[in-house]
Amino acid sequence: MSSVPNIPRPGQPPPQGPGAAPGPSNDALLMMRYDANKKSALIAYLFWFFLGYLGAHRFYLGRIGTGLMMLTLFAASVVFTVILIGLFGFALLGFWWLVDAFLIPGQVQSENNKLIASLRP
């Protein structure tokens, strides 16, 4: 009968002593968890470029409230374009979209810093 190595659960230290299965250190486990959950500026810019008018990049970066505002502004602009008022909404959305191009790096860094803080013991 073979024994199954004692694999630590997340947040637990790896087993030590004779007969313990060699495994990654706590620092390595934290780094792997960070790498698996960190936000990417490239992905954020792809969302911004292709779906930015819907606020997709803001949803990706955890900015749910402003993402919903962009989505609502887009929907209202589509509806009110029939009476030409919606064009102002599209102009505002376009300006917001351009400004976000400069804000994305800071937002990615902020989200990744929050992740680091949540992973620290």
Side-chain angles (χ1 to χ4, degrees):
M1 178 174 168
S2 66
S3 64
V4 177
N6 187 9
I7 300 173
R9 291 187 177 159
Q12 292 182 340
Q16 298 176 353
S25 67
N26 280 339
D27 290 338
L29 290 172
L30 289 175
M31 189 57 130
M32 285 188 276
R33 219 174 311 150
Y34 171 76
D35 284 339
N37 293 305
K38 70 180 179 179
K39 301 296 182 185
S40 164
L42 175 64
I43 300 298
Y45 272 114
L46 288 173
F47 276 130
W48 169 81
F49 186 76
F50 292 107
L51 297 170
Y53 56 93
L54 298 174
H57 58 292
R58 289 188 163 267
F59 287 111
Y60 172 71
L61 294 172
R63 310 276 199 280
I64 305 301
T66 53
L68 285 172
M69 286 173 55
M70 286 186 88
L71 188 59
T72 303
L73 181 59
F74 176 78
S77 297
V78 167
V79 169
F80 290 119
T81 299
V82 174
I83 54 175
L84 300 177
I85 296 174
L87 298 178
F88 294 111
F90 283 130
L92 178 62
L93 204 54
F95 179 73
W96 193 353
W97 181 80
L98 286 174
V99 168
D100 272 353
F102 299 100
L103 297 178
I104 285 176
Q107 292 174 348
V108 169
Q109 184 176 12
S110 174
E111 283 300 307
N112 288 338
N113 287 340
K114 285 183 205 173
L115 177 61
I116 289 170
S118 73
L119 291 176
R120 287 191 178 149

